[in-house]
Amino acid sequence: MNTLKLTLHLALVAGFSFTLSPSLHAGLKSSQPALSVLGKPDFGNTTANGPAANELGRAEGVAIDPNTSKVFVADATNHRILRFGATAAYQTGAAAEAVFGQADFISGLANRGGAVAANTLNTPRSLFVDAAGRLWVADASNHRVLRFDNASSKASGSNADAVLGQAHFATTATATTQSGMSSPVGVTTDASGNLFVTDRSNHRVLIFYNAASKGNGANADRVLGQATFVTSAIGTTASAFNFPWGVSVDGGGRLWVGDTLNNRVLRFDNVATIGNGGAASAVLGQSDFVSSAALPVGANALNSPYYLAAAPDGTLWVGDFSYERYLGYKNAAAKANGGNADIVLGQPDFVTEGAAAASATGVNGANGIAIDKEGGLFASDYSYNRILRYSGVVKVKAPAKVTAVGGKAIFRGTSEHASVVRFKQPGAPFSDTKGNVTNWKAKVTGLSRPITRVRVQSVALDGRKATKVVKVLNP
């Protein structure tokens, strides 16, 4: 079975609601504007107005439930996670529908102003929603990772269902052990349910096999960045980190790690079977594994890369925090060490740095990234207290004409940057096509006219549409 077929098989087994298809791509162009913003009423407003259902403090991690398309945001300085409905998340200034870590939308104290518990948070950093709808949270200042089952349907203020890094929900100790953590900031899972945690202050990545089956305080199974579970040395080699941050696993089972203070991103191949302290396979942001200084701003440079996300089409997206931009590396796994990025968002070009004025194109603290089912990006703009959404143009391709047989016709096509493809015969309602949205099939029946014009429409979650008309000949 080749890599693509294996990836698709694993995705289906794991229960993804959309196929990880290479044709599902962002289609983003350098310097294009964001389409909408969450956490603020418009693109020019950056004030942190205090906790509310439609306001954000320092926005960090962002995650999307692959089953419901609901969007989760880690509001770090308000010590909470906001959940936005699948429709609301695509509308500027929308209010969240639920909050975790606080009892209501207007509270923002660490651990609710009291002791740590199953329903509190203290500086949540990174988020990830797995194929089963479980939300994983790096609860950094509580030195733990929380798991919320069925997160898209939980009520505000709900308890977490499990904890790693602590023996139970009421402790916050730091540790450099097989079961302990110190300021975890990154979380992700792969298609097999393995959990990857960047244990920042221990300068390591912990791997928990089949994490959802583990009990509270369970041991990690593997460690990267250190040779053993009881060391926490800083390093600049192929097998060491200096404050690692974001993590993402791509469709080929490769782990990508934002090695922040080494100003680089490391790639680990075959990470599910790698041994303790295993070496990285490639590096971006540096020309070799022993360099760490930030290069002058350019397509090959990184300066404090925090979070990242591997897209289904092979593009790696990186929040290049100190150069105030999001970088896209197309076919990232094939890049040579120090390879150039191909797309830049938040800056007019690859050689400009510095915070721009708040707008649909300017950012200040490029941070967390999540990829939606249409191939677009939700990206946290940390210092401007908001989440920006980028998407490509909605497209649909269909044949200009087809010939019916016995009053029936079947035709196929493709679409981009949409969630639904539907078709409509004259006098009939719209019907959804079969297959997935990137490669769909439509069947029309009951044709009696010599020519029937069938309208095909692809529709994005924000309501944008693209339409084609197929002429069906019925001889």
Side-chain angles (χ1 to χ4, degrees):
M1 185 179 289
N2 65 32
T3 300
L4 173 58
K5 289 180 179 179
L6 177 60
T7 301
L8 297 178
H9 171 73
L10 290 174
L12 291 170
V13 169
F16 277 90
S17 63
F18 63 96
T19 301
L20 296 181
S21 166
S23 58
L24 177 65
H25 62 91
L28 301 180
K29 307 296 183 184
S30 285
S31 306
Q32 76 173 66
L35 291 180
S36 60
V37 59
L38 293 173
K40 293 293 167 279
D42 54 56
F43 287 110
N45 189 307
T46 64
T47 304
N49 293 315
N54 60 350
E55 285 283 342
L56 288 170
R58 298 301 195 197
E60 286 236 6
V62 57
I64 302 169
D65 188 328
N67 306 296
T68 66
S69 294
K70 293 186 178 185
V71 175
F72 297 78
V73 177
D75 187 6
T77 51
N78 286 320
H79 309 287
R80 65 182 187 169
I81 295 164
L82 294 181
R83 186 183 76 215
F84 294 86
T87 300
Y90 288 77
Q91 308 302 319
T92 289
E97 66 176 20
V99 59
F100 301 151
Q102 303 291 347
D104 53 50
F105 289 111
I106 59 173
S107 301
L109 295 177
N111 290 324
R112 300 194 183 188
V116 63
N119 61 357
T120 74
L121 294 167
N122 189 352
T123 320
R125 297 285 190 180
S126 179
L127 309 173
F128 189 79
V129 183
D130 67 21
R134 292 178 287 249
L135 173 69
W136 299 89
V137 180
D139 189 16
S141 295
N142 282 328
H143 311 291
R144 64 185 186 176
V145 169
L146 297 177
R147 191 190 83 221
F148 293 83
D149 296 340
N150 303 309
S152 281
S153 58
K154 277 191 182 296
S156 288
S158 291
N159 288 345
D161 294 282
V163 60
L164 295 172
Q166 302 291 334
H168 48 75
F169 290 109
T171 58
T172 62
T174 62
T176 307
T177 62
Q178 193 169 355
S179 61
M181 297 177 187
S182 183
S183 299
V185 291
V187 288
T188 195
T189 68
D190 64 13
S192 299
N194 303 316
L195 175 71
F196 303 83
V197 179
T198 44
D199 189 16
R200 179 186 63 183
S201 296
N202 281 325
H203 309 287
R204 64 185 185 176
V205 173
L206 297 175
I207 306 174
F208 296 83
Y209 294 156
N210 193 17
S213 68
K214 291 187 180 293
N216 291 344
N219 285 341
D221 296 282
R222 292 287 185 272
V223 60
L224 297 176
Q226 305 293 332
T228 71
F229 288 104
V230 295
T231 57
S232 59
I234 293 172
T236 307
T237 67
S239 56
F241 300 119
N242 189 354
F243 286 96
W245 213 279
V247 280
S248 186
V249 179
D250 67 19
R254 294 171 284 258
L255 176 71
W256 299 86
V257 182
D259 190 11
T260 306
L261 294 191
N262 279 328
N263 299 300
R264 65 184 185 175
V265 169
L266 295 179
R267 190 192 84 219
F268 294 83
D269 295 343
N270 303 313
V271 70
T273 57
I274 199 168
N276 289 343
S281 307
V283 59
L284 297 174
Q286 304 290 343
S287 60
D288 55 50
F289 290 109
V290 295
S291 301
S292 62
L295 297 173
V297 63
N300 64 334
L302 290 169
N303 192 345
S304 301
Y306 282 83
Y307 299 105
L308 36 77
D313 70 340
T315 300
L316 180 72
W317 291 96
V318 180
D320 192 16
F321 188 86
S322 293
Y323 279 151
E324 316 289 358
R325 61 188 186 172
Y326 309 98
L327 296 178
Y329 295 82
K330 293 182 179 179
N331 195 16
K335 297 271 187 190
N337 289 346
N340 287 347
D342 301 283
I343 306 168
V344 59
L345 301 172
Q347 297 290 352
D349 51 51
F350 286 107
V351 295
T352 303
E353 62 173 301
S359 67
T361 55
V363 303
N364 186 3
N367 212 20
I369 301 171
I371 300 164
D372 71 7
K373 65 187 293 184
E374 298 173 351
L377 306 184
F378 281 77
S380 62
D381 189 8
Y382 181 81
S383 298
Y384 282 156
N385 310 299
R386 63 185 187 171
I387 300 291
L388 299 173
R389 180 177 64 88
Y390 299 90
S391 183
V393 176
V394 178
K395 298 178 182 179
V396 64
K397 291 183 180 180
K401 63 181 179 180
V402 296
T403 301
V405 177
K408 301 177 183 179
I410 295 174
F411 55 91
R412 294 171 170 82
T414 63
S415 73
E416 296 180 13
H417 318 130
S419 291
V420 175
V421 180
R422 58 194 187 183
F423 66 98
K424 182 182 185 301
Q425 298 175 233
F430 274 106
S431 298
D432 290 347
T433 57
K434 302 297 184 181
N436 60 55
V437 295
T438 56
N439 292 283
W440 51 265
K441 178 177 73 173
K443 180 179 181 181
V444 293
T445 60
L447 300 172
S448 57
R449 301 175 184 176
I451 298 176
T452 300
R453 289 176 171 81
V454 178
R455 184 160 52 152
V456 179
Q457 199 170 70
S458 60
V459 186
L461 283 166
D462 62 4
R464 292 174 299 139
K465 301 180 181 69
T467 302
K468 294 288 185 181
V469 174
V470 179
K471 184 187 294 185
V472 182
L473 307 179
N474 187 32

